Amino acid sequence: RNLAIKHSKGPWLAFLDADDVWLPNTLAVFAEHFNDSDFMFGEYSYLGGPNNGKTVTDFSDLPNNKDELLKRLIQGNFIGIGGVCVKTDLVTQYFDESLNFAEDYKLWLTLLMKDIKVKKINKVVYKYRIHPESALHKNSKQNLLLAKLLLSFSEQNKYAKIRASRYYSYYVNTAISESLKNKYYRPDFSDYKKFDLNHKTKLKIYLYMKHFKLLTKVSEIISKRKSKYRMIVV
């Protein structure tokens, strides 16, 4: 993508991943908004999988105001890369090649924090293909990455730090749980002081770092009690 951007000569950029599909009129729909936007994005539907043909997100419920759109974007990425069209001269920062996840999300946040005209298109403009290798999945490492990514925008947007802290809390919960099940897995809590965490999450980190054996015993007791309860219910 970055190589293509560097060599592009037109005033607009649009992206299409190899396994996704534009509709016959996608570029024509984009062209309708060349005069009233700097950055536009449209809806997309699933191609394949159990939700084949279903629209991923209905944009009619999204606000038209750019600042409100940015706030919603900080909550989670709803912009599919195949549905984006942006002015070439705005993309002064390319996709972050150090990331193997959410590099598009980082670029959308960067662009929406600029003083630009944003247009949401309330119609499907491309199809996102679902297959076993699709990148849409969640794990603790991705929550950590999202937390750090949003934290990097915290000076520009106060809400970004709030959301970053929430993702980090998700990471703490899943990472500790995974660590208790797998003795070879060790969470990365080196940056936890940078986030605004509640007392419960801080306590979990403290117990993990200072009293791991005690935390393990408590987890085992809770697990046994749950198993005993399930047997009684059955």
Side-chain angles (χ1 to χ4, degrees):
R1 291 175 191 158
N2 286 343
L3 182 64
I5 293 171
K6 290 174 185 176
H7 287 277
S8 62
K9 297 179 181 178
W12 290 89
L13 293 169
F15 308 95
L16 183 64
D17 285 355
D19 52 353
D20 298 335
V21 178
W22 271 342
L23 302 185
N25 66 334
T26 295
L27 294 179
V29 171
F30 288 155
E32 293 174 7
H33 304 286
F34 281 168
N35 294 326
D36 61 3
S37 65
D38 301 314
F39 176 94
M40 67 188 85
F41 60 94
E43 297 175 357
Y44 60 104
S45 62
Y46 291 114
L47 180 60
N51 294 316
N52 182 51
K54 182 179 178 181
T55 301
V56 179
T57 304
D58 182 358
F59 286 171
S60 61
D61 294 331
L62 291 176
N64 288 307
N65 179 276
K66 184 184 79 74
D67 292 335
E68 289 300 315
L69 276 172
L70 174 59
K71 189 173 181 179
R72 290 284 289 272
L73 187 64
I74 288 171
Q75 292 177 19
N77 186 20
F78 50 78
I79 299 178
I81 192 162
V84 165
C85 191
V86 57
K87 283 185 176 179
T88 306
D89 57 5
L90 285 177
V91 188
T92 54
Q93 292 175 269
Y94 298 159
F95 294 98
D96 188 339
E97 296 184 23
S98 69
L99 302 176
N100 57 13
F101 164 74
E103 73 286 346
D104 55 339
Y105 184 34
K106 182 177 181 179
L107 182 57
W108 309 154
L109 288 168
T110 301
L111 290 171
L112 262 67
M113 286 189 186
K114 294 182 178 183
D115 183 20
I116 62 173
K117 293 183 292 183
V118 179
K119 178 75 176 181
K120 68 182 179 83
I121 301 172
N122 300 339
K123 61 174 69 174
V124 173
V125 295
Y126 88 104
K127 298 179 181 181
Y128 173 82
R129 190 182 301 277
I130 296 294
H131 49 72
E133 291 75 35
S134 295
L136 283 181
H137 61 278
K138 297 290 183 184
N139 58 40
S140 61
K141 289 183 179 179
Q142 288 185 1
N143 282 328
L144 177 61
L145 188 151
L146 286 169
K148 290 184 176 181
L149 189 157
L150 288 171
L151 188 66
S152 68
F153 289 99
S154 60
E155 290 187 6
Q156 297 167 264
N157 187 289
K158 286 189 263 187
Y159 188 69
K161 187 170 185 179
I162 296 173
R163 190 62 182 170
S165 300
R166 186 171 297 179
Y167 272 118
Y168 197 82
S169 294
Y170 296 156
Y171 168 71
V172 170
N173 291 330
T174 55
I176 289 179
S177 178
E178 188 174 342
S179 180
L180 292 172
K181 295 175 184 176
N182 180 1
K183 64 180 180 180
Y184 298 106
Y185 174 76
R186 288 291 177 267
D188 176 12
F189 294 149
S190 57
D191 295 325
Y192 81 92
K193 292 183 180 180
K194 296 178 181 179
F195 299 92
D196 293 332
L197 306 175
N198 59 37
H199 294 303
K200 187 177 179 180
T201 303
K202 288 180 180 178
L203 178 60
K204 288 180 180 179
I205 295 173
Y206 173 78
L207 288 173
Y208 180 86
M209 297 176 70
K210 301 293 184 179
H211 303 285
F212 181 73
K213 290 183 179 180
L214 174 62
L215 187 63
T216 303
K217 288 181 180 179
V218 171
S219 176
E220 289 174 352
I221 292 171
I222 293 173
S223 180
K224 287 179 181 178
R225 285 184 177 178
K226 285 183 178 179
S227 296
K228 186 177 180 180
Y229 176 74
R230 286 195 206 99
M231 291 175 67
I232 292 172
V233 171
V234 172

